[in-house]
Amino acid sequence: MATGKVHFTEEQSTNLATLYGRALDNRLPRPILGDPTAEETVRKIDYDFGKFKMKPDMALSVAMRAKVIDERVRAFLREHPDATVLHLGCGMDSRVYRIDPPRTLRWYDVDYPDVIDLRKQVYPEREGYQQIGSSVTELDWLERVPADGPALVVAEGLTMYLDPEGGRALLRALAARFPSGEMVFDVFGSLGIKLQKLNPVVRRAKATLSWGIDDAHELERLGLTLVEELDASYFAAEETVSLMSPAMRLQLKLALMIPLFRNMGRILRYRF
Ligand SMILES: C[S@@+](CC[C@H](N)C(=O)[O-])C[C@H]1O[C@@H](n2cnc3c(N)ncnc32)[C@H](O)[C@@H]1O
């Protein structure tokens, strides 16, 4: 089955670049993430993925970020098999299939209506799995999600696209709605926002990033407690470094020596 021609905004089309990155990773003899659904989905979507000119290094970093976040999701769900998962700015990510949670768990994928329309053509809903088409910062959608137990909020490649005020209101509302839970998401520091056009995915999609977070403790004011902060060194796992080009290896080595660059892109985990 092929989808109709895709017409996404610049911001939305970044999700096709990251999807393609995971598909390219899956073509490696020993993938980092290993997501066959990403490959199948790329084949089904009528879109010129070549326009992203995605280099193997970029695909590696997309796959590594997804893998690190998946590990946090799995760990939370082992402790809370009855949780509600909110996967915000899910794009075309097949995380729900990678994690494959029990049907008793409730998993919601949330993104703009156009993105959810495309998702529904390739990712069927099933018991315990629903997709919500809404801007995450228009908070009415939250009313559709039961708030009777622990929640896991996951957002990969989302926060930097939100306006800071809307992003903070979203996190505050999420923390207030559920009795307990965790949030795991990646952020850019303000330098990452300033240098956004150096990011090939953002540049080629002509997207704009707005929210930079330098101090992870700053978000604790919203009712969160910081439990983990991963800087760029999470890319330096041996399995990833061995697959990098020499130029990327050098870039990473230099980035790890300079705190400002080391902190440009991080993964944060909070409890609430
Ligand atoms: C870089 S893509 C990441 C997609 C996916 N998480 C992944 O890793 O492949 C950013 C996603 O955030 C979504 N997004 C950005 N702002 C949003 C908002 N206010 N409400 C809902 N989704 C949003 C975009 O539509 C896009 O799907």
mmCIF file of all heavy atoms in Angstrom, residues 84-132:
data_model
loop_
_atom_site.group_PDB
_atom_site.id
_atom_site.type_symbol
_atom_site.label_atom_id
_atom_site.label_comp_id
_atom_site.label_asym_id
_atom_site.label_seq_id
_atom_site.Cartn_x
_atom_site.Cartn_y
_atom_site.Cartn_z
ATOM 1 N N THR A 84 0.125 4.989 31.609
ATOM 2 C CA THR A 84 -0.346 5.643 30.383
ATOM 3 C C THR A 84 0.871 6.315 29.751
ATOM 4 O O THR A 84 1.593 7.040 30.432
ATOM 5 C CB THR A 84 -1.399 6.722 30.740
ATOM 6 O OG1 THR A 84 -2.521 6.054 31.318
ATOM 7 C CG2 THR A 84 -1.848 7.486 29.509
ATOM 8 N N VAL A 85 1.097 6.045 28.476
ATOM 9 C CA VAL A 85 2.236 6.657 27.782
ATOM 10 C C VAL A 85 1.712 7.751 26.857
ATOM 11 O O VAL A 85 0.791 7.519 26.070
ATOM 12 C CB VAL A 85 3.023 5.621 26.949
ATOM 13 C CG1 VAL A 85 4.169 6.295 26.186
ATOM 14 C CG2 VAL A 85 3.562 4.508 27.844
ATOM 15 N N LEU A 86 2.294 8.934 26.970
ATOM 16 C CA LEU A 86 1.981 10.028 26.046
ATOM 17 C C LEU A 86 3.224 10.291 25.220
ATOM 18 O O LEU A 86 4.244 10.735 25.759
ATOM 19 C CB LEU A 86 1.613 11.296 26.826
ATOM 20 C CG LEU A 86 0.452 11.170 27.807
ATOM 21 C CD1 LEU A 86 0.231 12.494 28.526
ATOM 22 C CD2 LEU A 86 -0.807 10.764 27.080
ATOM 23 N N HIS A 87 3.146 9.979 23.948
ATOM 24 C CA HIS A 87 4.303 10.153 23.069
ATOM 25 C C HIS A 87 4.015 11.399 22.237
ATOM 26 O O HIS A 87 3.240 11.346 21.280
ATOM 27 C CB HIS A 87 4.432 8.889 22.207
ATOM 28 C CG HIS A 87 5.628 8.859 21.338
ATOM 29 N ND1 HIS A 87 5.677 8.127 20.184
ATOM 30 C CD2 HIS A 87 6.828 9.454 21.438
ATOM 31 C CE1 HIS A 87 6.866 8.276 19.622
ATOM 32 N NE2 HIS A 87 7.579 9.085 20.364
ATOM 33 N N LEU A 88 4.620 12.509 22.637
ATOM 34 C CA LEU A 88 4.264 13.815 22.064
ATOM 35 C C LEU A 88 5.180 14.181 20.900
ATOM 36 O O LEU A 88 6.387 13.965 20.976
ATOM 37 C CB LEU A 88 4.363 14.900 23.139
ATOM 38 C CG LEU A 88 3.635 14.614 24.462
ATOM 39 C CD1 LEU A 88 3.738 15.823 25.385
ATOM 40 C CD2 LEU A 88 2.189 14.242 24.213
ATOM 41 N N GLY A 89 4.603 14.771 19.861
ATOM 42 C CA GLY A 89 5.410 15.097 18.680
ATOM 43 C C GLY A 89 5.978 13.805 18.104
ATOM 44 O O GLY A 89 7.125 13.743 17.682
ATOM 45 N N CYS A 90 5.101 12.783 18.076
ATOM 46 C CA CYS A 90 5.538 11.424 17.687
ATOM 47 C C CYS A 90 6.006 11.363 16.231
ATOM 48 O O CYS A 90 6.782 10.482 15.860
ATOM 49 C CB CYS A 90 4.394 10.440 17.892
ATOM 50 S SG CYS A 90 2.901 10.922 16.975
ATOM 51 N N GLY A 91 5.544 12.325 15.396
ATOM 52 C CA GLY A 91 5.911 12.275 13.985
ATOM 53 C C GLY A 91 5.529 10.929 13.394
ATOM 54 O O GLY A 91 4.444 10.404 13.630
ATOM 55 N N MET A 92 6.432 10.342 12.622
ATOM 56 C CA MET A 92 6.167 9.040 12.010
ATOM 57 C C MET A 92 6.948 7.945 12.750
ATOM 58 O O MET A 92 7.204 6.877 12.194
ATOM 59 C CB MET A 92 6.535 9.070 10.526
ATOM 60 C CG MET A 92 5.681 10.026 9.713
ATOM 61 S SD MET A 92 3.903 9.750 9.913
ATOM 62 C CE MET A 92 3.732 8.150 9.119
ATOM 63 N N ASP A 93 7.295 8.222 13.986
ATOM 64 C CA ASP A 93 8.091 7.256 14.747
ATOM 65 C C ASP A 93 7.257 6.030 15.120
ATOM 66 O O ASP A 93 6.123 6.159 15.594
ATOM 67 C CB ASP A 93 8.621 7.932 16.019
ATOM 68 C CG ASP A 93 9.657 7.087 16.728
ATOM 69 O OD1 ASP A 93 9.957 5.972 16.242
ATOM 70 O OD2 ASP A 93 10.165 7.524 17.768
ATOM 71 N N SER A 94 7.843 4.858 14.921
ATOM 72 C CA SER A 94 7.148 3.598 15.228
ATOM 73 C C SER A 94 7.550 3.078 16.604
ATOM 74 O O SER A 94 7.601 1.868 16.817
ATOM 75 C CB SER A 94 7.453 2.567 14.148
ATOM 76 O OG SER A 94 8.828 2.582 13.828
ATOM 77 N N ARG A 95 7.793 4.019 17.531
ATOM 78 C CA ARG A 95 8.229 3.598 18.880
ATOM 79 C C ARG A 95 7.272 2.586 19.510
ATOM 80 O O ARG A 95 7.705 1.635 20.148
ATOM 81 C CB ARG A 95 8.371 4.850 19.757
ATOM 82 C CG ARG A 95 8.587 4.542 21.227
ATOM 83 C CD ARG A 95 9.173 5.715 22.009
ATOM 84 N NE ARG A 95 10.591 5.870 21.747
ATOM 85 C CZ ARG A 95 11.176 6.997 21.335
ATOM 86 N NH1 ARG A 95 10.444 8.080 21.143
ATOM 87 N NH2 ARG A 95 12.456 7.043 21.132
ATOM 88 N N VAL A 96 5.966 2.798 19.306
ATOM 89 C CA VAL A 96 5.000 1.889 19.942
ATOM 90 C C VAL A 96 5.208 0.442 19.464
ATOM 91 O O VAL A 96 5.006 -0.506 20.220
ATOM 92 C CB VAL A 96 3.541 2.374 19.730
ATOM 93 C CG1 VAL A 96 3.113 2.291 18.277
ATOM 94 C CG2 VAL A 96 2.568 1.609 20.612
ATOM 95 N N TYR A 97 5.660 0.283 18.222
ATOM 96 C CA TYR A 97 5.915 -1.084 17.714
ATOM 97 C C TYR A 97 7.252 -1.607 18.231
ATOM 98 O O TYR A 97 7.406 -2.798 18.470
ATOM 99 C CB TYR A 97 5.902 -1.105 16.181
ATOM 100 C CG TYR A 97 4.547 -0.724 15.623
ATOM 101 C CD1 TYR A 97 4.268 0.571 15.230
ATOM 102 C CD2 TYR A 97 3.525 -1.667 15.534
ATOM 103 C CE1 TYR A 97 3.023 0.925 14.745
ATOM 104 C CE2 TYR A 97 2.280 -1.322 15.050
ATOM 105 C CZ TYR A 97 2.030 -0.023 14.660
ATOM 106 O OH TYR A 97 0.791 0.315 14.191
ATOM 107 N N ARG A 98 8.236 -0.698 18.378
ATOM 108 C CA ARG A 98 9.534 -1.152 18.913
ATOM 109 C C ARG A 98 9.373 -1.620 20.352
ATOM 110 O O ARG A 98 9.920 -2.635 20.755
ATOM 111 C CB ARG A 98 10.582 -0.015 18.874
ATOM 112 C CG ARG A 98 11.025 0.398 17.494
ATOM 113 C CD ARG A 98 12.332 1.178 17.547
ATOM 114 N NE ARG A 98 12.282 2.395 18.339
ATOM 115 C CZ ARG A 98 11.868 3.584 17.893
ATOM 116 N NH1 ARG A 98 11.462 3.701 16.650
ATOM 117 N NH2 ARG A 98 11.877 4.642 18.682
ATOM 118 N N ILE A 99 8.622 -0.849 21.125
ATOM 119 C CA ILE A 99 8.461 -1.186 22.552
ATOM 120 C C ILE A 99 7.460 -2.336 22.695
ATOM 121 O O ILE A 99 7.599 -3.189 23.560
ATOM 122 C CB ILE A 99 7.968 0.052 23.351
ATOM 123 C CG1 ILE A 99 8.923 1.230 23.153
ATOM 124 C CG2 ILE A 99 7.734 -0.281 24.811
ATOM 125 C CD1 ILE A 99 10.242 1.172 23.855
ATOM 126 N N ASP A 100 6.445 -2.337 21.845
ATOM 127 C CA ASP A 100 5.397 -3.355 21.846
ATOM 128 C C ASP A 100 4.862 -3.618 23.261
ATOM 129 O O ASP A 100 5.020 -4.722 23.800
ATOM 130 C CB ASP A 100 5.950 -4.659 21.223
ATOM 131 C CG ASP A 100 4.815 -5.611 20.869
ATOM 132 O OD1 ASP A 100 3.657 -5.141 20.761
ATOM 133 O OD2 ASP A 100 5.081 -6.820 20.743
ATOM 134 N N PRO A 101 4.219 -2.616 23.848
ATOM 135 C CA PRO A 101 3.742 -2.764 25.232
ATOM 136 C C PRO A 101 2.560 -3.723 25.316
ATOM 137 O O PRO A 101 1.891 -3.963 24.304
ATOM 138 C CB PRO A 101 3.298 -1.341 25.598
ATOM 139 C CG PRO A 101 2.930 -0.727 24.297
ATOM 140 C CD PRO A 101 3.813 -1.336 23.251
ATOM 141 N N PRO A 102 2.287 -4.239 26.515
ATOM 142 C CA PRO A 102 1.104 -5.103 26.656
ATOM 143 C C PRO A 102 -0.164 -4.318 26.333
ATOM 144 O O PRO A 102 -0.203 -3.096 26.490
ATOM 145 C CB PRO A 102 1.124 -5.500 28.138
ATOM 146 C CG PRO A 102 2.072 -4.571 28.811
ATOM 147 C CD PRO A 102 3.006 -4.044 27.765
ATOM 148 N N ARG A 103 -1.192 -5.022 25.859
ATOM 149 C CA ARG A 103 -2.432 -4.348 25.426
ATOM 150 C C ARG A 103 -3.145 -3.665 26.597
ATOM 151 O O ARG A 103 -4.025 -2.831 26.391
ATOM 152 C CB ARG A 103 -3.387 -5.353 24.775
ATOM 153 C CG ARG A 103 -2.803 -6.063 23.547
ATOM 154 C CD ARG A 103 -2.446 -5.063 22.452
ATOM 155 N NE ARG A 103 -2.150 -5.722 21.175
ATOM 156 C CZ ARG A 103 -0.925 -6.026 20.743
ATOM 157 N NH1 ARG A 103 0.140 -5.742 21.478
ATOM 158 N NH2 ARG A 103 -0.750 -6.602 19.567
ATOM 159 N N THR A 104 -2.784 -4.047 27.821
ATOM 160 C CA THR A 104 -3.424 -3.447 29.000
ATOM 161 C C THR A 104 -2.933 -2.019 29.219
ATOM 162 O O THR A 104 -3.578 -1.227 29.890
ATOM 163 C CB THR A 104 -3.082 -4.268 30.250
ATOM 164 O OG1 THR A 104 -1.666 -4.509 30.233
ATOM 165 C CG2 THR A 104 -3.848 -5.562 30.291
ATOM 166 N N LEU A 105 -1.790 -1.704 28.677
ATOM 167 C CA LEU A 105 -1.225 -0.365 28.842
ATOM 168 C C LEU A 105 -1.879 0.576 27.826
ATOM 169 O O LEU A 105 -2.264 0.157 26.748
ATOM 170 C CB LEU A 105 0.270 -0.489 28.578
ATOM 171 C CG LEU A 105 1.174 0.698 28.782
ATOM 172 C CD1 LEU A 105 2.458 0.226 29.455
ATOM 173 C CD2 LEU A 105 1.501 1.368 27.465
ATOM 174 N N ARG A 106 -1.995 1.857 28.195
ATOM 175 C CA ARG A 106 -2.595 2.812 27.244
ATOM 176 C C ARG A 106 -1.492 3.682 26.649
ATOM 177 O O ARG A 106 -0.717 4.289 27.393
ATOM 178 C CB ARG A 106 -3.625 3.681 27.954
ATOM 179 C CG ARG A 106 -4.865 2.872 28.333
ATOM 180 C CD ARG A 106 -5.770 3.640 29.236
ATOM 181 N NE ARG A 106 -5.108 3.973 30.491
ATOM 182 C CZ ARG A 106 -5.748 4.290 31.613
ATOM 183 N NH1 ARG A 106 -7.060 4.303 31.643
ATOM 184 N NH2 ARG A 106 -5.091 4.600 32.702
ATOM 185 N N TRP A 107 -1.415 3.716 25.354
ATOM 186 C CA TRP A 107 -0.355 4.480 24.659
ATOM 187 C C TRP A 107 -1.028 5.456 23.702
ATOM 188 O O TRP A 107 -1.844 5.054 22.868
ATOM 189 C CB TRP A 107 0.546 3.506 23.891
ATOM 190 C CG TRP A 107 1.712 4.137 23.191
ATOM 191 C CD1 TRP A 107 1.657 5.091 22.204
ATOM 192 C CD2 TRP A 107 3.094 3.867 23.421
ATOM 193 N NE1 TRP A 107 2.937 5.428 21.808
ATOM 194 C CE2 TRP A 107 3.843 4.683 22.530
ATOM 195 C CE3 TRP A 107 3.806 3.001 24.273
ATOM 196 C CZ2 TRP A 107 5.232 4.667 22.475
ATOM 197 C CZ3 TRP A 107 5.196 2.984 24.212
ATOM 198 C CH2 TRP A 107 5.895 3.808 23.325
ATOM 199 N N TYR A 108 -0.701 6.735 23.831
ATOM 200 C CA TYR A 108 -1.253 7.775 22.947
ATOM 201 C C TYR A 108 -0.112 8.418 22.174
ATOM 202 O O TYR A 108 0.843 8.926 22.778
ATOM 203 C CB TYR A 108 -1.959 8.856 23.768
ATOM 204 C CG TYR A 108 -3.167 8.342 24.510
ATOM 205 C CD1 TYR A 108 -3.035 7.786 25.784
ATOM 206 C CD2 TYR A 108 -4.435 8.392 23.941
ATOM 207 C CE1 TYR A 108 -4.134 7.292 26.469
ATOM 208 C CE2 TYR A 108 -5.545 7.902 24.615
ATOM 209 C CZ TYR A 108 -5.384 7.349 25.877
ATOM 210 O OH TYR A 108 -6.482 6.859 26.549
ATOM 211 N N ASP A 109 -0.213 8.406 20.859
ATOM 212 C CA ASP A 109 0.722 9.147 20.008
ATOM 213 C C ASP A 109 0.045 10.462 19.639
ATOM 214 O O ASP A 109 -1.105 10.456 19.155
ATOM 215 C CB ASP A 109 1.034 8.341 18.741
ATOM 216 C CG ASP A 109 2.192 7.371 18.950
ATOM 217 O OD1 ASP A 109 2.964 7.551 19.911
ATOM 218 O OD2 ASP A 109 2.339 6.430 18.145
ATOM 219 N N VAL A 110 0.731 11.570 19.857
ATOM 220 C CA VAL A 110 0.119 12.891 19.625
ATOM 221 C C VAL A 110 1.001 13.722 18.694
ATOM 222 O O VAL A 110 2.216 13.826 18.913
ATOM 223 C CB VAL A 110 -0.058 13.670 20.961
ATOM 224 C CG1 VAL A 110 -0.889 14.932 20.737
ATOM 225 C CG2 VAL A 110 -0.667 12.804 22.057
ATOM 226 N N ASP A 111 0.391 14.291 17.684
ATOM 227 C CA ASP A 111 1.091 15.218 16.780
ATOM 228 C C ASP A 111 0.005 16.035 16.079
ATOM 229 O O ASP A 111 -1.190 15.841 16.314
ATOM 230 C CB ASP A 111 1.980 14.455 15.769
ATOM 231 C CG ASP A 111 3.172 15.280 15.275
ATOM 232 O OD1 ASP A 111 2.938 16.367 14.699
ATOM 233 O OD2 ASP A 111 4.319 14.845 15.446
ATOM 234 N N TYR A 112 0.399 16.936 15.210
ATOM 235 C CA TYR A 112 -0.572 17.755 14.471
ATOM 236 C C TYR A 112 -1.519 16.848 13.670
ATOM 237 O O TYR A 112 -1.124 15.746 13.240
ATOM 238 C CB TYR A 112 0.152 18.657 13.479
ATOM 239 C CG TYR A 112 0.890 19.820 14.098
ATOM 240 C CD1 TYR A 112 2.271 19.950 13.956
ATOM 241 C CD2 TYR A 112 0.204 20.797 14.815
ATOM 242 C CE1 TYR A 112 2.946 21.033 14.505
ATOM 243 C CE2 TYR A 112 0.880 21.874 15.370
ATOM 244 C CZ TYR A 112 2.238 21.990 15.216
ATOM 245 O OH TYR A 112 2.904 23.042 15.756
ATOM 246 N N PRO A 113 -2.764 17.322 13.409
ATOM 247 C CA PRO A 113 -3.741 16.493 12.676
ATOM 248 C C PRO A 113 -3.210 15.949 11.340
ATOM 249 O O PRO A 113 -3.444 14.783 11.016
ATOM 250 C CB PRO A 113 -4.918 17.444 12.459
ATOM 251 C CG PRO A 113 -4.823 18.411 13.604
ATOM 252 C CD PRO A 113 -3.361 18.590 13.888
ATOM 253 N N ASP A 114 -2.467 16.762 10.565
ATOM 254 C CA ASP A 114 -1.971 16.269 9.258
ATOM 255 C C ASP A 114 -1.043 15.075 9.440
ATOM 256 O O ASP A 114 -1.020 14.147 8.624
ATOM 257 C CB ASP A 114 -1.138 17.362 8.546
ATOM 258 C CG ASP A 114 -2.015 18.485 8.047
ATOM 259 O OD1 ASP A 114 -3.249 18.320 8.103
ATOM 260 O OD2 ASP A 114 -1.454 19.511 7.619
ATOM 261 N N VAL A 115 -0.249 15.143 10.488
ATOM 262 C CA VAL A 115 0.718 14.056 10.744
ATOM 263 C C VAL A 115 -0.035 12.797 11.186
ATOM 264 O O VAL A 115 0.240 11.691 10.713
ATOM 265 C CB VAL A 115 1.752 14.487 11.821
ATOM 266 C CG1 VAL A 115 2.693 13.346 12.149
ATOM 267 C CG2 VAL A 115 2.523 15.721 11.354
ATOM 268 N N ILE A 116 -1.036 12.998 12.030
ATOM 269 C CA ILE A 116 -1.808 11.834 12.511
ATOM 270 C C ILE A 116 -2.604 11.217 11.349
ATOM 271 O O ILE A 116 -2.725 9.994 11.253
ATOM 272 C CB ILE A 116 -2.721 12.237 13.707
ATOM 273 C CG1 ILE A 116 -1.841 12.650 14.908
ATOM 274 C CG2 ILE A 116 -3.686 11.106 14.089
ATOM 275 C CD1 ILE A 116 -0.897 11.594 15.449
ATOM 276 N N ASP A 117 -3.079 12.063 10.435
ATOM 277 C CA ASP A 117 -3.795 11.513 9.260
ATOM 278 C C ASP A 117 -2.876 10.567 8.484
ATOM 279 O O ASP A 117 -3.290 9.490 8.054
ATOM 280 C CB ASP A 117 -4.245 12.636 8.315
ATOM 281 C CG ASP A 117 -5.457 13.364 8.864
ATOM 282 O OD1 ASP A 117 -6.033 12.886 9.862
ATOM 283 O OD2 ASP A 117 -5.802 14.429 8.315
ATOM 284 N N LEU A 118 -1.625 10.994 8.294
ATOM 285 C CA LEU A 118 -0.679 10.126 7.562
ATOM 286 C C LEU A 118 -0.360 8.880 8.394
ATOM 287 O O LEU A 118 -0.317 7.765 7.875
ATOM 288 C CB LEU A 118 0.613 10.888 7.232
ATOM 289 C CG LEU A 118 1.654 10.079 6.463
ATOM 290 C CD1 LEU A 118 1.137 9.704 5.065
ATOM 291 C CD2 LEU A 118 2.982 10.828 6.331
ATOM 292 N N ARG A 119 -0.153 9.073 9.684
ATOM 293 C CA ARG A 119 0.138 7.923 10.559
ATOM 294 C C ARG A 119 -0.956 6.862 10.439
ATOM 295 O O ARG A 119 -0.671 5.674 10.375
ATOM 296 C CB ARG A 119 0.190 8.354 12.031
ATOM 297 C CG ARG A 119 1.465 8.986 12.492
ATOM 298 C CD ARG A 119 1.457 9.101 14.012
ATOM 299 N NE ARG A 119 1.684 7.805 14.639
ATOM 300 C CZ ARG A 119 2.882 7.307 14.932
ATOM 301 N NH1 ARG A 119 3.966 8.007 14.698
ATOM 302 N NH2 ARG A 119 3.000 6.119 15.495
ATOM 303 N N LYS A 120 -2.210 7.339 10.435
ATOM 304 C CA LYS A 120 -3.314 6.371 10.446
ATOM 305 C C LYS A 120 -3.338 5.536 9.173
ATOM 306 O O LYS A 120 -3.885 4.442 9.156
ATOM 307 C CB LYS A 120 -4.645 7.085 10.692
ATOM 308 C CG LYS A 120 -4.777 7.515 12.157
ATOM 309 C CD LYS A 120 -6.134 8.106 12.462
ATOM 310 C CE LYS A 120 -6.267 8.343 13.969
ATOM 311 N NZ LYS A 120 -7.451 9.143 14.307
ATOM 312 N N GLN A 121 -2.722 6.051 8.105
ATOM 313 C CA GLN A 121 -2.666 5.256 6.855
ATOM 314 C C GLN A 121 -1.641 4.124 6.957
ATOM 315 O O GLN A 121 -1.721 3.154 6.239
ATOM 316 C CB GLN A 121 -2.288 6.144 5.678
ATOM 317 C CG GLN A 121 -3.347 7.193 5.352
ATOM 318 C CD GLN A 121 -2.886 8.074 4.192
ATOM 319 O OE1 GLN A 121 -2.505 7.590 3.138
ATOM 320 N NE2 GLN A 121 -2.922 9.366 4.397
ATOM 321 N N VAL A 122 -0.658 4.305 7.846
ATOM 322 C CA VAL A 122 0.405 3.279 7.902
ATOM 323 C C VAL A 122 0.501 2.560 9.247
ATOM 324 O O VAL A 122 1.064 1.465 9.317
ATOM 325 C CB VAL A 122 1.791 3.875 7.533
ATOM 326 C CG1 VAL A 122 1.873 4.193 6.068
ATOM 327 C CG2 VAL A 122 2.139 5.101 8.362
ATOM 328 N N TYR A 123 -0.001 3.189 10.297
ATOM 329 C CA TYR A 123 0.077 2.575 11.629
ATOM 330 C C TYR A 123 -1.339 2.400 12.192
ATOM 331 O O TYR A 123 -1.891 3.337 12.783
ATOM 332 C CB TYR A 123 0.874 3.453 12.600
ATOM 333 C CG TYR A 123 2.298 3.738 12.207
ATOM 334 C CD1 TYR A 123 2.827 5.024 12.336
ATOM 335 C CD2 TYR A 123 3.146 2.727 11.749
ATOM 336 C CE1 TYR A 123 4.147 5.301 12.012
ATOM 337 C CE2 TYR A 123 4.464 3.010 11.420
ATOM 338 C CZ TYR A 123 4.955 4.292 11.546
ATOM 339 O OH TYR A 123 6.255 4.562 11.231
ATOM 340 N N PRO A 124 -1.927 1.238 12.042
ATOM 341 C CA PRO A 124 -3.290 1.064 12.544
ATOM 342 C C PRO A 124 -3.344 1.132 14.074
ATOM 343 O O PRO A 124 -2.407 0.710 14.748
ATOM 344 C CB PRO A 124 -3.666 -0.339 12.057
ATOM 345 C CG PRO A 124 -2.381 -1.020 11.713
ATOM 346 C CD PRO A 124 -1.370 0.041 11.419
ATOM 347 N N GLU A 125 -4.445 1.695 14.584
ATOM 348 C CA GLU A 125 -4.638 1.687 16.039
ATOM 349 C C GLU A 125 -4.985 0.265 16.461
ATOM 350 O O GLU A 125 -5.372 -0.563 15.629
ATOM 351 C CB GLU A 125 -5.753 2.664 16.415
ATOM 352 C CG GLU A 125 -5.331 4.103 16.165
ATOM 353 C CD GLU A 125 -6.370 5.129 16.619
ATOM 354 O OE1 GLU A 125 -7.533 4.750 16.796
ATOM 355 O OE2 GLU A 125 -5.987 6.302 16.776
ATOM 356 N N ARG A 126 -4.823 -0.043 17.702
ATOM 357 C CA ARG A 126 -5.178 -1.368 18.210
ATOM 358 C C ARG A 126 -5.573 -1.181 19.666
ATOM 359 O O ARG A 126 -5.513 -0.062 20.189
ATOM 360 C CB ARG A 126 -3.986 -2.319 18.076
ATOM 361 C CG ARG A 126 -2.818 -1.873 18.933
ATOM 362 C CD ARG A 126 -1.637 -2.813 18.839
ATOM 363 N NE ARG A 126 -0.731 -2.537 19.933
ATOM 364 C CZ ARG A 126 0.549 -2.853 19.935
ATOM 365 N NH1 ARG A 126 1.080 -3.468 18.916
ATOM 366 N NH2 ARG A 126 1.304 -2.583 20.985
ATOM 367 N N GLU A 127 -5.950 -2.269 20.318
ATOM 368 C CA GLU A 127 -6.376 -2.151 21.709
ATOM 369 C C GLU A 127 -5.243 -1.506 22.522
ATOM 370 O O GLU A 127 -4.092 -1.932 22.446
ATOM 371 C CB GLU A 127 -6.681 -3.553 22.252
ATOM 372 C CG GLU A 127 -7.461 -3.504 23.542
ATOM 373 C CD GLU A 127 -7.554 -4.884 24.186
ATOM 374 O OE1 GLU A 127 -7.387 -5.893 23.480
ATOM 375 O OE2 GLU A 127 -7.757 -4.916 25.413
ATOM 376 N N GLY A 128 -5.594 -0.459 23.252
ATOM 377 C CA GLY A 128 -4.588 0.205 24.090
ATOM 378 C C GLY A 128 -3.761 1.234 23.354
ATOM 379 O O GLY A 128 -2.924 1.913 23.956
ATOM 380 N N TYR A 129 -3.954 1.376 22.038
ATOM 381 C CA TYR A 129 -3.137 2.326 21.270
ATOM 382 C C TYR A 129 -4.018 3.283 20.478
ATOM 383 O O TYR A 129 -4.792 2.854 19.633
ATOM 384 C CB TYR A 129 -2.208 1.566 20.313
ATOM 385 C CG TYR A 129 -1.461 2.489 19.376
ATOM 386 C CD1 TYR A 129 -0.746 3.568 19.874
ATOM 387 C CD2 TYR A 129 -1.498 2.306 17.999
ATOM 388 C CE1 TYR A 129 -0.085 4.438 19.017
ATOM 389 C CE2 TYR A 129 -0.834 3.168 17.137
ATOM 390 C CZ TYR A 129 -0.133 4.227 17.663
ATOM 391 O OH TYR A 129 0.514 5.101 16.819
ATOM 392 N N GLN A 130 -3.891 4.578 20.788
ATOM 393 C CA GLN A 130 -4.679 5.587 20.070
ATOM 394 C C GLN A 130 -3.791 6.729 19.608
ATOM 395 O O GLN A 130 -2.736 6.976 20.202
ATOM 396 C CB GLN A 130 -5.722 6.184 21.018
ATOM 397 C CG GLN A 130 -6.939 5.318 21.197
ATOM 398 C CD GLN A 130 -7.940 5.995 22.120
ATOM 399 O OE1 GLN A 130 -8.261 7.157 21.944
ATOM 400 N NE2 GLN A 130 -8.420 5.256 23.100
ATOM 401 N N GLN A 131 -4.260 7.464 18.584
ATOM 402 C CA GLN A 131 -3.493 8.578 18.045
ATOM 403 C C GLN A 131 -4.357 9.829 18.111
ATOM 404 O O GLN A 131 -5.541 9.780 17.752
ATOM 405 C CB GLN A 131 -3.095 8.270 16.598
ATOM 406 C CG GLN A 131 -2.510 6.866 16.480
ATOM 407 C CD GLN A 131 -1.895 6.569 15.122
ATOM 408 O OE1 GLN A 131 -1.011 7.274 14.686
ATOM 409 N NE2 GLN A 131 -2.354 5.522 14.472
ATOM 410 N N ILE A 132 -3.759 10.919 18.565
ATOM 411 C CA ILE A 132 -4.525 12.156 18.744
ATOM 412 C C ILE A 132 -3.921 13.242 17.862
ATOM 413 O O ILE A 132 -2.732 13.558 17.988
ATOM 414 C CB ILE A 132 -4.510 12.612 20.224
ATOM 415 C CG1 ILE A 132 -5.147 11.528 21.117
ATOM 416 C CG2 ILE A 132 -5.220 13.954 20.395
ATOM 417 C CD1 ILE A 132 -5.167 11.862 22.603
#
